[in-house]
Amino acid sequence: MTDHVHQDQPAPTVRRVTADDAPQWARLYAGYRAFYRLPDDPEAVATTWRWVLGEQHGLTGLVATAADGTTLLGLANLRTFARPSTGTLGLYLDDLFTDPAARRAGVGAALLDAAAGLAAQRGASVVRWITAADNATARALYDRHADATPWVTYDMAPRAALTAGAGAGS
């Protein structure tokens, strides 16, 4: 993904998802999951679509469209998160994906710009996301739109609660 627009193509338009986007959005989101080597899981795609379309869990879905206004070229799923250290809210960019056939046409840049605009509209203090360290193409785009942070991300599996009295410091 880069933000170089092909000379023969108009810049994509970004808008919120609509119910009519379901089949194309599902195809793009399945492509996103495949890119990150996640197993094919139509139920996960369907659940995420319901969340995005219904704006559940603070999610907002954006799509980039071709000049016809109906062909989806890319998607971005964002959600609001609290930033206790600053007493502000931010937008977290969970997913950003461009159809491989539409890469290098400004789709990723348009979605990032729309995310920044949505953050400003909502009074958010930051748009934050993570990406794979080896995703050099996306990182080149991101480096033109945001500042990389020094933070390292961790994931912890859920587990049963500790018994009473066995908390931290015991």
Side-chain angles (χ1 to χ4, degrees):
M1 282 182 279
T2 69
D3 56 0
H4 302 294
V5 177
H6 294 262
Q7 297 300 327
D8 58 343
Q9 295 177 334
T13 300
V14 177
R15 61 170 172 75
R16 301 280 273 275
V17 297
T18 67
D20 292 339
D21 296 329
Q24 292 183 77
W25 185 96
R27 179 185 55 79
L28 287 169
Y29 197 66
Y32 167 83
R33 289 179 50 85
F35 178 85
Y36 282 107
R37 295 182 182 96
L38 296 170
D40 183 32
D41 188 345
E43 186 54 36
V45 173
T47 296
T48 305
W49 171 248
R50 285 191 302 274
W51 291 348
V52 169
L53 183 63
E55 297 198 346
Q56 297 174 26
H57 310 292
L59 282 165
T60 299
L62 301 177
V63 290
T65 66
D68 64 11
T70 59
T71 302
L72 301 191
L73 305 174
L75 62 80
N77 299 323
L78 301 112
R79 63 185 154 88
T80 303
F81 72 99
R83 301 186 68 205
S85 62
T86 62
T88 63
L89 296 176
L91 281 184
Y92 192 84
L93 176 60
D94 278 299
D95 313 307
L96 179 70
F97 185 73
T98 298
D99 185 320
R103 300 238 167 108
R104 297 185 173 12
V107 174
L111 287 163
L112 289 173
D113 289 344
L118 184 62
Q121 181 183 42
R122 293 183 178 179
S125 60
V126 71
V127 178
R128 177 171 290 154
W129 65 93
I130 61 172
T131 194
D134 64 353
N135 192 348
T137 302
R139 290 184 69 185
L141 170 66
Y142 301 159
D143 287 345
R144 290 191 294 275
H145 289 265
D147 297 318
T149 71
W151 298 102
V152 176
T153 302
Y154 292 86
D155 284 342
M156 181 187 303
R159 58 181 174 258
L162 298 172
T163 58
S170 297

